Amino acid sequence: MLRTEVVRNILSWYEGETPGLKSNLSRLLMHGKLGGTGRMVILPVDQGFEHGPARSFAPNPAAYDPHYLYELAIESGVSGYAAPLGLLEQGADTFAGEVPLILKVNSGNSLVSNNDQALTGTVDDAMRLGCIGVGFTIYPGSECSYDMIEELREISHYAKSRGLISVVWSYPRGGKVTKDGETGTDIIAYAAHMAALMGATIIKVKLPTSHIDLDAAKSTYEKYPVDSASMAGRVKHVMQAAFNGKRVVVFSGGAAKNTPELLEEVRAIREGGGNGSIIGRNSFQRAKEEAIALLNEVMDIYR
């Protein structure tokens, strides 16, 4: 497929980046059933680290097998597949070149209480496995946030020098951020902007609620209000914070939910100008046929 004008326009936003990085971003944007549309759906499977194997895969035991996850990504026609090192290695030979891969290079786990993540992969691992990019989580607000941001700076710099894109999970928590604030409109917009300032190629955030969390921000939002009553309006504000829509932003599918709820969120992302979704548990915790049907419904909405 020839690169579409929509994709050419998106690539033009990434001034100062190398041809290699733009080539890999193009591969992602041109792959799968949404190829060429400027929208994307990514399958992420990092929940085994985050929540443990049973909480992640017991609802659909076939997903314990890394090959199953590759097959789900390929057969559903999603844009890309993101996972930690071991999952990508177990299948990298069998499925080489069949789906764009993103190596998640840091991970946390539910056995510790602090808001931090360990480095679990490298840029060299991503190159060895034929990945188009690396994924990295930061927790703006946490006691470890400055260290995480500095780690991201180093990894992103090295990845870009090798032509790899960076996908930044920007998940605020800790510090001045309340529990409700973790998905507040002001905090999610702040998180997206922070990732953009760090040079993220693609930004991943949670869907925002109408809550405004920071006391210092409340007067600004009262004086310059945004459409926080609707999900689409809140997505539009997050896109505004991501360099006025000149960065690709995808939104987390979050915890398991029913199909109508998920599809309602997808419509709001589309209407708000978001670039797509990154859907993990809501896909791989279902039987494969059901998961593929759901992902196709999601991609039909974006298309």
Side-chain angles (χ1 to χ4, degrees), residues 113-278:
S113 57
N114 66 327
N115 294 317
D116 197 4
Q117 296 207 355
L119 297 176
T120 56
T122 67
V123 172
D124 289 339
D125 289 324
M127 295 292 293
R128 172 173 57 86
L129 295 172
C131 297
I132 63 158
V134 296
F136 193 94
T137 294
I138 58 172
Y139 294 141
S142 83
E143 65 277 12
C144 301
S145 61
Y146 285 152
D147 289 338
M148 298 179 87
I149 287 169
E150 290 176 0
E151 288 172 346
L152 172 59
R153 180 197 65 200
E154 296 299 324
I155 287 170
S156 179
H157 175 75
Y158 186 37
K160 289 183 178 189
S161 75
R162 296 297 182 268
L164 299 183
I165 71 170
S166 61
V167 184
V168 177
W169 278 239
S170 194
Y171 284 177
R173 59 188 62 176
K176 296 181 179 180
V177 182
T178 68
K179 188 63 180 175
D180 287 341
E182 290 178 8
T183 51
T185 294
D186 61 322
I187 301 296
I188 295 296
Y190 200 165
H193 188 66
M194 204 176 294
L197 291 173
M198 286 298 300
T201 315
I202 296 174
I203 299 162
K204 180 193 176 190
V205 290
K206 295 180 179 181
L207 275 166
T209 66
S210 59
H211 177 74
I212 303 296
D213 201 54
L214 286 182
D215 289 337
K218 288 177 180 177
S219 61
T220 300
Y221 279 93
E222 289 169 0
K223 186 175 182 180
Y224 306 103
V226 298
D227 177 15
S228 61
S230 71
M231 179 69 76
R234 298 192 293 269
V235 168
K236 183 177 180 180
H237 179 53
V238 172
M239 297 306 298
Q240 185 181 38
F243 292 174
N244 206 25
K246 289 188 174 181
R247 284 297 177 267
V248 172
V249 181
V250 293
F251 292 83
S252 169
K257 53 179 69 77
N258 64 46
T259 298
E261 289 175 330
L262 180 64
L263 297 181
E264 182 180 0
E265 291 180 351
V266 169
R267 291 186 187 95
I269 295 167
R270 179 197 64 194
E271 291 164 11
N275 295 96
S277 297
I278 183 160

Side-chain angles (χ1 to χ4, degrees), residues 18 50 104 134 152 282:
T18 65
E50 300 292 331
K104 185 70 164 52
V134 296
L152 172 59
N282 283 290

Side-chain angles (χ1 to χ4, degrees), residues 68-106:
Y68 173 87
L69 300 167
Y70 268 98
E71 291 165 358
L72 177 59
I74 294 163
E75 293 172 25
S76 63
V78 295
S79 309
Y81 170 41
L85 180 62
L87 280 182
L88 292 192
E89 285 184 328
Q90 189 66 22
D93 297 344
T94 303
F95 304 102
E98 295 193 48
V99 61
L101 302 177
I102 298 161
L103 176 63
K104 185 70 164 52
V105 296
N106 72 336

